[in-house]
Amino acid sequence: MAAQTQTILPSYVAGRWWSPENPQKVTEVADASTGEVVARVSTDGIDTAGAVEHGRTVGQKALGELTIHERALKLKQLAQYLTEHKQALYDLSYATGATLKDHFFDVDGGIGTLFTFSSKGRRELPNANVIVDGAVEQLSKDGSFLGEHVYTRMPGVAVQINAFNFPVWGMLEKFAPAFVAGMPTIVKPATPTGYVTEACVRLMVESGILPEGSLQLISGSARDLLDHLDYRDHVAFTGSAATARSLREHDNVVNGGVRFTAETDSLNAAILGPDATPDTPEFEAFVKAVFTEITSKAGQKCTAIRRVIVPKERVEDVVAAVAERVRQRVVIGDPRTEGVTMGALASKEQQTEVRKAVERLVAAGGTVRLGGPDEAVDGAGTGAFFPVTVLSFDDPETPEVHFVEAFGPVTSVIGYEDVDDAVRLAALGGGSLVATVCTNDGPTAAAFTAGIGAHHGRVHFLNRQDAKTSTGHGSPMPHLVHGGPGRAGGGEELGGVRGVKHYMQRTALQGSPDILTAVTGVWHRGAAAHTVTREAVENGTGEHPFRKSLETLRIGDQFASELRTVTLEDILEFAEKTGDTFYAHTDEEAATANPFFPRRVAHGYLLVSWAAGLFVEPAPGPVLANYGLENLRFITPVTYDDAIRVTLTAKQITPRVTDEYGEVCWDAVLHNQHDEIVATYDVLTLVAKTWPTA
């Protein structure tokens, strides 16, 4: 899959591939290593308004016909398809200056994000289009008026503006949660590497997996795109702080309610703890982390380590160790050449920007300890190569260290006096995506968390226990939040299902139990129920809910048991057999002296066990397994001569899209003979979709 050098790189809008017929302005994109033209880019005449409308209509309709689980499953299928074709993306990505190892971060990292969101969407979210958020709030004494929060699909489009450094991962890490949420995506990649994004989108479209209108691509400038957005839409931006600032100032963001989130420049830090002396495993892990982050993707990562903050007496040790590792392991050149370990910057323009930034740091007092803007690199005449550069500063408070970002293989080493001083220096970055703290001392880690947590979106602790298993300082994980305060943009991406909810609207609902049950698909106490008793089951006038498959089971199907009396012998026997001889169950005098108990009381787990016996249907049937209890609360103590009964109600039904069974959550309530609530909890079961099963 080679980039087109004669024709214009196409966009994919309104369900078709589009290129301008007579473009007035064309941008040529060069191979980062050789300088040869690999793509010609123009969007003259593109109908951005039409793209937005296509997403809001065709895309919204197609995605709305699927549930969260069905969309999540499509992500898995898409990830499998891209895995089969990833070599084509590798081959194309070499022209960006990326090495094979860099491809793993970008291509495989993006595909892995699809797998993760597919899995988490099906395991942690309902098979529906409404997500309940938090517990029900009782708004009336009799329970007839309730409140709760839900998430629903936003009715607009997700515009995703990405940086040049990760043309695949940068797209997929935004696309995945938006797709699960049910929001159509318009991708706007950075021009210098947009030809790789175009190739990935082409594969995604050719797979036939995605619903029509769920993904569109603008290859090149889209300057008027925000003009067509409003409060229904979401913009996720990754790039420079200056560009983010200009987008934030757009009238449709300021006054039109467009949701805008940004991930921008970041002066990330690696902090060596005072306990990490050169003879410790922590020191070795620290040096390796710094080396990795300034050489991976030639340092062109928003999470790269720009400031190396170490005890002042360790500055020379760290500089020497990092420099030695670079000399031993770094070979700069065309990444398609065997033996090369670090490629070029993405473009000659980027090379110029990095050189200017380094010169500014040197002018501010930085001492070049390795590399530098004047060091010659083979092939630098035609390619955008830049040497690995390490600077040190006598004055750790030099403003430029904490403000100027050289977005390449560049880092600065500064010294601190004590932990408080290190915290202060880290905070001078004005808000960062991530900081690594390398220490094997718990109190030191706690002090750094308290000190720098509010200044960072992620804090990565590194020590001898996790050095081999850590995913690394610079690798945002789809399970965890990616973003940061202040200079880092103030945005938040990924974070598992949190990322999905960023593309949904949270709404407070108020109403009766019946109405909230109908809206959410989750049964609320007080709502209508279809109740059967043991007597009705035995005389054939009612069917036990455990005899129903998902084909016939309905929310609100309920079983109400008879009472069972608790004796003192029951309590003592349970204590003896389980070994739970806590005094409240076995010592009358001590139990009576406890203000919470009337006298000796039944074990909570005895009552839960009895409840199962009261509601169970023992014969083989569609209920395949009980896989847990949730939200168990013991409310009213039960003493001997009391009695309990259980009411079990089908609360939520979640069919699995890939299996012949689904999950049923049952609401369980134990009452005593006075109708006081004894305990509440949820019973989780796996239930066959049909019975008897084939």
Side-chain angles (χ1 to χ4, degrees):
M1 184 182 295
Q4 299 295 315
T5 59
Q6 301 302 317
T7 59
I8 301 297
L9 189 71
S11 298
Y12 184 73
V13 292
R16 68 186 182 91
W17 289 100
W18 174 93
S19 295
E21 294 182 0
N22 297 297
Q24 300 302 304
K25 182 179 179 181
V26 176
T27 300
E28 292 187 338
V29 178
D31 183 302
S33 300
T34 67
E36 297 176 359
V37 175
V38 293
R40 301 173 70 242
V41 178
S42 178
T43 52
D44 283 358
I46 193 168
D47 183 9
T48 52
V52 171
E53 185 62 19
H54 186 73
R56 287 178 178 164
T57 54
V58 176
Q60 278 282 340
K61 182 178 184 298
L63 287 171
E65 292 171 351
L66 303 173
T67 66
I68 288 173
H69 283 204
E70 289 168 338
R71 294 192 293 267
L73 181 60
K74 284 185 176 294
L75 281 191
K76 179 181 178 181
Q77 295 167 344
L78 186 62
Q80 292 170 331
Y81 184 86
L82 290 178
T83 298
E84 294 171 1
H85 296 82
K86 66 182 181 180
Q87 185 62 49
L89 298 176
Y90 286 3
D91 294 343
L92 200 57
S93 293
Y94 282 120
T96 71
T99 65
L100 180 60
K101 188 174 182 180
D102 295 334
H103 300 338
F104 295 153
F105 282 106
D106 186 30
V107 178
D108 293 76
I111 293 171
T113 298
L114 296 182
F115 277 121
T116 298
F117 272 94
S118 174
S119 174
K120 294 185 81 66
R122 287 178 289 142
R123 286 189 293 109
E124 300 179 25
L125 295 174
N127 192 8
N129 274 315
V130 175
I131 302 173
V132 175
D133 179 45
V136 171
E137 301 289 345
Q138 295 289 336
L139 303 180
S140 66
K141 290 184 179 180
D142 65 356
S144 64
F145 188 56
L146 307 175
E148 70 181 334
H149 296 85
V150 297
Y151 283 96
T152 57
R153 297 192 310 131
M154 288 175 61
V157 294
V159 173
Q160 298 167 357
I161 305 171
N162 297 317
F164 65 81
N165 50 340
F166 286 99
V168 176
W169 177 84
M171 171 181 64
L172 297 181
E173 63 98 6
K174 293 182 175 70
F175 169 77
F179 186 83
V180 173
M183 200 171 190
T185 291
I186 299 175
V187 176
K188 164 59 184 80
T191 297
T193 57
Y195 56 91
V196 181
T197 307
E198 186 271 347
C200 187
V201 169
R202 187 173 292 276
L203 287 171
M204 295 165 74
V205 172
E206 290 175 350
S207 74
I209 294 168
L210 297 180
E212 177 56 47
S214 60
L215 176 63
Q216 298 180 82
L217 167 73
I218 296 178
S219 296
S221 174
R223 296 187 184 281
D224 69 335
L225 184 54
L226 267 66
D227 295 346
H228 309 294
L229 306 182
D230 59 32
Y231 73 95
R232 296 170 290 178
D233 307 307
H234 183 291
V235 175
F237 170 81
T238 300
S240 73
T243 304
R245 190 179 310 113
S246 101
L247 294 175
R248 275 199 178 99
E249 292 171 354
H250 192 285
D251 185 64
N252 283 348
V253 176
V254 176
N255 298 310
V258 173
R259 299 191 188 191
F260 182 85
T261 183
E263 185 249 290
T264 62
D265 305 345
S266 183
L267 274 296
N268 309 296
I271 306 171
L272 184 67
D275 59 303
T277 56
D279 59 342
T280 63
E282 285 69 38
F283 186 90
E284 180 182 358
F286 182 82
V287 170
K288 181 179 179 181
V290 172
F291 167 81
T292 297
E293 295 308 320
I294 59 177
T295 57
S296 176
K297 293 288 288 186
Q300 300 170 110
K301 296 170 64 179
C302 58
T303 52
I305 294 170
R306 306 299 177 196
R307 298 176 297 156
V308 181
I309 304 174
V310 304
K312 63 178 183 179
E313 64 273 17
R314 301 279 176 247
V315 168
E316 293 305 316
D317 294 327
V318 169
V319 168
V322 171
E324 182 60 23
R325 195 174 185 93
V326 170
R327 293 188 186 101
Q328 291 180 354
R329 297 171 180 260
V330 173
V331 177
I332 299 174
D334 188 326
R336 288 161 288 212
T337 302
E338 186 176 353
V340 167
T341 61
M342 192 180 88
L345 300 179
S347 66
K348 295 293 285 186
E349 292 77 14
Q350 183 62 19
Q351 181 191 53
T352 298
E353 290 299 316
V354 173
R355 178 175 288 109
K356 287 180 179 178
V358 173
E359 288 172 346
R360 186 174 173 186
L361 288 167
V362 172
T367 300
V368 176
R369 309 300 297 273
L370 181 72
D374 299 323
E375 180 173 297
V377 179
D378 291 342
T382 55
F385 299 103
F386 198 87
V388 179
T389 298
V390 178
L391 308 173
S392 66
F393 286 79
D394 293 333
D395 181 2
E397 296 186 42
T398 301
E400 285 78 3
V401 176
H402 308 286
F403 181 76
V404 176
E405 180 180 24
F407 202 73
V410 181
T411 197
S412 298
V413 183
I414 57 176
Y416 70 80
E417 297 284 346
D418 53 26
V419 170
D420 289 342
D421 191 38
V423 166
R424 184 179 59 81
L425 292 172
L428 291 179
S432 301
L433 295 170
V434 56
T436 283
V437 178
C438 201
T439 180
N440 198 42
D441 182 68
T444 297
F448 272 114
T449 301
I452 71 173
H455 303 281
H456 293 80
R458 174 165 58 95
V459 177
H460 167 242
F461 286 105
L462 189 62
N463 66 5
R464 65 194 67 186
Q465 293 175 309
D466 64 9
K468 291 183 179 180
T469 56
S470 168
T471 52
H473 165 101
S475 300
M477 301 303 294
H479 318 71
L480 302 178
V481 165
H482 177 52
R487 176 170 177 153
E492 185 176 292
E493 297 175 341
L494 300 176
V497 297
R498 298 173 187 84
V500 174
K501 293 174 182 177
H502 292 159
Y503 294 92
M504 305 183 81
Q505 172 64 44
R506 181 164 58 184
T507 304
L509 300 182
Q510 294 174 291
S512 68
D514 282 317
I515 291 298
L516 295 191
T517 295
V519 170
T520 63
V522 178
W523 185 80
H524 291 63
R525 289 177 194 164
H530 313 290
T531 308
V532 297
T533 63
R534 181 72 66 185
E535 181 181 4
V537 171
E538 291 176 351
N539 64 28
T541 60
E543 184 177 20
H544 196 294
F546 274 24
R547 302 304 306 169
K548 297 182 178 182
S549 67
L550 297 192
E551 194 172 42
T552 57
L553 184 68
R554 297 293 179 265
I555 296 297
D557 283 353
Q558 185 179 86
F559 178 81
S561 83
E562 66 280 11
L563 284 166
R564 177 170 179 173
T565 301
V566 181
T567 68
L568 180 59
E569 289 73 19
D570 292 326
I571 297 172
L572 295 176
E573 182 182 18
F574 192 83
E576 180 181 355
K577 288 188 175 180
T578 63
D580 181 358
T581 56
F582 184 63
Y583 74 85
H585 313 302
T586 58
D587 187 326
E588 189 81 10
E589 183 178 351
T592 304
N594 188 314
F596 293 104
F597 304 126
R599 52 184 180 175
R600 278 178 283 182
V601 295
H603 304 68
Y605 300 111
L606 168 60
L607 302 179
V608 171
S609 298
W610 275 14
L614 288 169
F615 68 62
V616 73
E617 168 60 30
V623 176
L624 307 176
N626 176 334
Y627 71 94
L629 303 178
E630 289 185 341
N631 307 314
L632 175 60
R633 296 291 184 272
F634 297 114
I635 299 169
T636 303
V638 173
T639 186
Y640 47 91
D641 299 330
D642 283 344
I644 64 164
R645 61 181 177 84
V646 62
T647 304
L648 188 77
T649 311
K651 179 178 180 180
Q652 186 172 13
I653 301 173
T654 307
R656 293 192 178 185
V657 295
T658 55
D659 300 296
E660 294 306 311
Y661 59 88
E663 298 156 357
V664 178
C665 175
W666 305 82
D667 178 84
V669 183
L670 273 64
H671 288 85
N672 63 17
Q673 71 275 20
H674 304 299
D675 284 336
E676 297 170 321
I677 295 179
V678 169
T680 61
Y681 54 99
D682 293 334
V683 178
L684 309 178
T685 63
L686 300 179
V687 179
K689 290 182 177 178
T690 60
W691 188 263
T693 56

